[in-house]
């Protein structure tokens, strides 16, 4: 496993944890504050992204790995 695989695993697990936390608390503090139903929807989005990143590594799915690389480059 290369660096990007490990990064996808760690980031995916972090996104899942953050999504569960946002759903449980019904609030998320990202650059702006999200509360209530919008925080729950944001939490589900994070969970889905995290699961996609984990699936990309575990099952070696090429297009999901390409999506992860695109996700990393979007921050730059």
């Amino acid at each position: 496993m290369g660096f990007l695989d490990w990064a996808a695993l760690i980031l995916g697990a972090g996104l899942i944890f953050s999504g569960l936390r946002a759903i449980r608390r019904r609030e998320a503090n990202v650059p702006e504050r999200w509360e209530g139903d919008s925080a729950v929807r944001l939490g589900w989005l994070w969970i889905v992204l995290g699961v996609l990143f984990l699936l990309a590594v575990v099952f070696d799915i090429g297009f999901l790995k390409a999506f992860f690389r695109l996700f990393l480059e979007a921050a730059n």
Side-chain angles (χ1 to χ4, degrees):
M1 281 185 15
F3 172 75
L4 286 178
D5 290 342
W6 283 107
L9 283 175
I10 293 169
L11 188 61
L15 282 169
I16 291 171
F17 174 74
S18 295
L20 291 173
R21 185 174 175 217
I23 291 171
R24 185 173 44 95
R25 290 184 171 188
R26 298 186 60 84
E27 71 175 358
N29 277 329
V30 288
E32 61 259 356
R33 187 176 177 92
W34 295 56
E35 295 178 341
D37 289 340
S38 59
V40 171
R41 286 191 297 269
L42 182 65
W44 280 112
L45 174 67
W46 287 343
I47 289 172
V48 168
L49 281 175
V51 168
L52 285 176
F53 293 161
L54 290 177
L55 287 175
V57 175
V58 171
F59 295 111
D60 197 28
I61 303 171
F63 75 91
L64 287 179
K65 285 186 176 184
F67 177 68
F68 176 70
R69 286 187 206 103
L70 180 68
F71 182 81
L72 286 181
E73 290 176 9
N76 293 332

